[in-house]
Amino acid sequence: MLDVWRGIAAALDSFAMLPSLVQAIAPSLPSPKLHDVAPPQEQRDRMDEYIREVRRLFTAPLQTTNLLSYSGKLQEQFKVKLQASDICMLPSYNHTLPTGHERGTFLALDVGGSTFRVALVRLCGKDSGDMSMRIVKMCTFKINKKIRDLEGHAFFEWMAERVEEVLSDPEIRELAEEETLSMGLAWSFPIEQTSIRSGNLLDMGKGFRAMQGLKGQDLGDLIMKACRAKNLNVRMDAMVNDSSATLLSKAYRDSSTGLALILGTGTNCAVHLPVSALSHAKFGVRPQSWHEKAKHVVVNTEFSMFGKNILPTTRWDDYLNTMHTHPDFQPFEHLISGRYLGEIVRLILLEAIQTAQLFGGDVPEAFLEPYSLETGTIAVFESDDTPTLSKALASLQASHPLTKQPSTLELHYIRQVCQFVSHRAAAYLAAGLHALWSLRATAEGLDLSDAGHLTVSCNGSVIEKYPSFRGLCQSYLDELTVMSGAEKHSVVLEMSDESAIYGAAVAACCLDET
């Protein structure tokens, strides 16, 4: 996969079409080369007709007026969940964004589904330019099945052993001996947060067994108990989820940051809102001192759960949803994230093979396996700059061996399908981000024309590496904000590298005693 994504870095800018030109994505297929056997005319006619249908179903909803309508309906969904929901629009304990002038050295922990990272981070102030945030030392530890199978305290003891390993490094050991290191934790699993530095452990999913016998216990205490057993001179000061970390990491350098987007295998957003936008019940039991200080709060939207009965779907989307282990649970994620883009393309191509004679009607065996067509593979189709799409063919053959090599014409058919799916994802994402931007402005009592500049801190493989995806989404956002009465580039998508690590450190530096 790494080689695939490196190839994507050379993606063609020509595929980043403006929303107003989406309707112009029409079949533009090459003439057969001398060495290339063209499909029979009957097969080509069937494929032409099929591609026209796919084009209509995927591009018709993407008129700017339609996207603006979806945004309005999403805002209504958001408002309902801001008043009552225990699974989305969840207020964190982070009510203070960084000023960018905080300084210090912090230990940042990032626990994800497949890796545990420990880093010593130095914050030097945003006036230090490129050196404002610096990773002094970072170690990455793989979380394999053996680690996921660790039950209860054993998992946290393993974490403490890895922290000890990092602190024993000559570059860090002296510092750790001199002072207690403040720790920030980015935890990519559900918790019931009870303070900025504590939260009750919930089911982690993804095969982890750490919560066995410990469910409901305080996560911060569990980690600190394991660290104290090894006499580690550390202190847990902050916990954040990945979307909040992405917002905080960019906000340290750019005070206009008010939104964060994760778009990789899955998707999520965080937004900085006035506390008045949420019902009092949403905050649960918190100290009165927190309510007295908090004017705003970082909200984990659980963005993936929205969009049902708002964003138009196709029969392939509906089949994917029906066959999913949790149908209707994450409708937005099914339409835009890396886990599902390749699967939507696979379903379309499988039907094309069976009904429109793509590949002469021969179904590659691997095509029958759900989720076998990775989003990385369809990304290669969009980035391939060779006349015969030789790079795309090599990627396809590596994962889905074909008994007969497809023609260049058939490869171009596939590329068009990939474009339709990814362009729709970019447009739907823009509608969702526009909805959050509008919601935030309204909550602040601002007219959209006076809402000012907003930076969206972005992280994730799709938004970062999929060919032209971020540029295309930005162009849709520009059209939507202009139609809303604001200026072009009122909302800007910017990448935030190492956001989980930096965000954990920034959360610790923004420590509030409530």
Side-chain angles (χ1 to χ4, degrees):
M1 281 299 296
L2 287 176
D3 291 337
V4 169
W5 286 118
R6 290 190 186 104
I8 290 169
L12 295 178
D13 291 338
S14 59
F15 292 120
M17 304 179 186
L18 292 174
S20 57
L21 298 179
V22 167
Q23 291 291 340
I25 306 175
S28 178
L29 302 174
S31 300
K33 308 298 183 204
L34 291 176
H35 63 278
D36 193 20
V37 178
Q41 186 62 46
E42 180 183 358
Q43 178 186 344
R44 180 166 183 168
D45 289 343
R46 288 186 181 183
M47 278 304 305
D48 285 344
E49 182 179 355
Y50 189 78
I51 284 292
R52 281 194 294 270
E53 182 192 14
V54 177
R55 171 179 175 269
R56 176 180 57 80
L57 292 173
F58 277 84
T59 62
L62 308 189
Q63 294 290 342
T64 310
T65 51
N66 291 338
L67 296 176
L68 201 60
S69 174
Y70 309 151
S71 171
K73 293 174 182 178
L74 285 167
Q75 290 172 59
E76 294 307 311
Q77 277 194 347
F78 295 156
K79 290 175 183 176
V80 170
K81 300 303 181 182
L82 283 168
Q83 300 308 305
S85 173
D86 58 0
I87 61 171
C88 56
M89 289 298 178
L90 307 173
S92 69
Y93 274 77
N94 300 94
H95 64 80
T96 303
L97 291 184
T99 65
H101 299 298
E102 298 87 352
R103 288 172 168 79
T105 302
F106 303 87
L107 198 64
L109 312 182
D110 173 30
V111 183
S114 59
T115 59
F116 173 43
R117 300 191 298 164
V118 182
L120 189 73
V121 175
R122 189 156 287 148
L123 303 178
C124 302
K126 63 182 179 183
D127 52 355
S128 302
D130 291 341
M131 298 300 291
S132 62
M133 310 169 78
R134 185 163 63 91
I135 295 175
V136 178
K137 179 78 174 183
M138 181 163 70
C139 294
T140 300
F141 306 97
K142 186 174 179 61
I143 298 177
N144 55 25
K145 185 179 185 302
K146 179 181 178 181
I147 304 305
R148 289 193 295 272
D149 283 343
L150 292 175
E151 294 190 5
H153 292 287
F155 178 78
F156 299 102
E157 290 165 1
W158 175 82
M159 285 180 61
E161 288 171 1
R162 306 288 77 76
V163 173
E164 181 182 38
E165 185 176 330
V166 172
L167 294 181
S168 66
D169 186 279
E171 292 182 66
I172 302 174
R173 184 169 55 236
E174 185 176 344
L175 178 63
E177 290 173 351
E178 290 177 354
E179 60 181 282
T180 301
L181 280 175
S182 173
M183 287 197 305
L185 169 68
W187 184 257
S188 299
F189 304 93
I191 60 169
E192 181 186 354
Q193 199 151 1
T194 53
S195 79
I196 188 65
R197 59 169 63 82
S198 61
N200 298 326
L201 185 65
L202 302 177
D203 287 330
M204 295 170 67
K206 301 179 182 178
F208 282 80
R209 300 179 62 81
M211 62 284 182
Q212 297 295 320
L214 300 178
K215 188 174 178 180
Q217 294 192 31
D218 183 76
L219 176 62
D221 285 347
L222 291 168
I223 294 172
M224 282 305 304
K225 180 179 179 180
C227 289
R228 282 193 292 267
K230 294 187 172 297
N231 297 313
L232 303 182
N233 194 17
V234 296
R235 179 183 68 245
M236 180 63 71
D237 277 339
M239 294 183 193
V240 288
N241 75 352
D242 54 356
S243 62
S244 296
T246 300
L247 195 157
L248 293 169
S249 66
K250 177 64 72 174
Y252 184 79
R253 291 175 170 171
D254 182 353
S255 60
S256 71
T257 306
L259 264 174
L261 166 71
I262 305 291
L263 184 61
T265 303
T267 189
N268 196 12
C269 285
V271 59
H272 193 231
L273 289 175
V275 294
S276 58
L278 295 88
S279 69
H280 189 77
K282 291 282 290 190
F283 294 97
V285 179
R286 300 190 182 198
Q288 183 59 32
S289 55
W290 188 93
H291 289 285
E292 290 171 355
K293 291 184 178 182
K295 305 302 180 187
H296 290 76
V297 65
V298 175
V299 176
N300 167 22
T301 66
E302 293 297 341
F303 186 66
S304 65
M305 298 181 183
F306 293 92
K308 181 66 176 177
N309 298 324
I310 292 176
L311 301 170
T313 58
T314 65
R315 60 180 178 272
W316 305 287
D317 304 308
D318 296 339
Y319 179 82
L320 184 155
N321 180 62
T322 300
M323 300 303 294
H324 198 277
T325 53
H326 300 290
D328 296 328
F329 183 58
Q330 295 177 305
F332 220 136
E333 186 161 295
H334 291 179
L335 296 167
I336 69 172
S337 79
R339 168 67 171 160
Y340 300 107
L341 296 181
E343 176 65 0
I344 296 169
V345 171
R346 184 190 73 89
L347 293 173
I348 296 170
L349 295 182
L350 187 60
E351 183 178 320
I353 294 169
Q354 296 170 328
T355 67
Q357 295 298 297
L358 179 67
F359 304 150
D362 294 331
V363 180
E365 184 176 350
F367 254 69
L368 297 174
E369 181 183 344
Y371 299 94
S372 60
L373 184 60
E374 295 184 349
T375 296
T377 301
I378 72 171
V380 176
F381 270 88
E382 293 210 46
S383 67
D384 193 347
D385 57 358
T386 63
T388 58
L389 298 185
S390 57
K391 297 175 186 177
L393 175 60
S395 179
L396 183 65
Q397 288 279 40
S399 57
H400 296 78
L402 303 170
T403 55
K404 178 183 177 183
Q405 180 167 308
S407 67
T408 300
L409 191 64
E410 289 173 310
L411 295 174
H412 277 270
Y413 279 128
I414 296 172
R415 173 149 76 176
Q416 285 186 64
V417 171
C418 298
Q419 288 176 333
F420 295 142
V421 172
S422 67
H423 288 191
R424 184 189 66 171
Y428 282 1
L429 173 59
L433 294 175
H434 178 272
L436 286 172
W437 168 70
S438 302
L439 178 80
R440 183 174 183 269
T442 301
E444 296 281 9
L446 298 172
D447 187 84
L448 294 184
S449 60
D450 300 320
H453 175 79
L454 180 73
T455 297
V456 182
S457 178
C458 301
N459 196 274
S461 56
V462 173
I463 194 68
E464 180 183 1
K465 296 175 180 178
Y466 196 97
S468 301
F469 192 98
R470 179 158 62 108
L472 184 60
C473 184
Q474 182 66 63
S475 66
Y476 279 111
L477 265 174
D478 288 344
E479 286 203 358
L480 288 169
T481 53
V482 169
M483 185 170 278
S484 301
E487 294 183 359
K488 183 179 180 180
H489 270 41
S490 292
V491 183
V492 177
L493 305 173
E494 293 191 6
M495 295 306 304
S496 183
D497 297 329
E498 299 292 1
S499 62
I501 287 294
Y502 284 133
V506 171
C509 87
C510 292
L511 179 66
D512 187 281
E513 293 306 319
T514 58

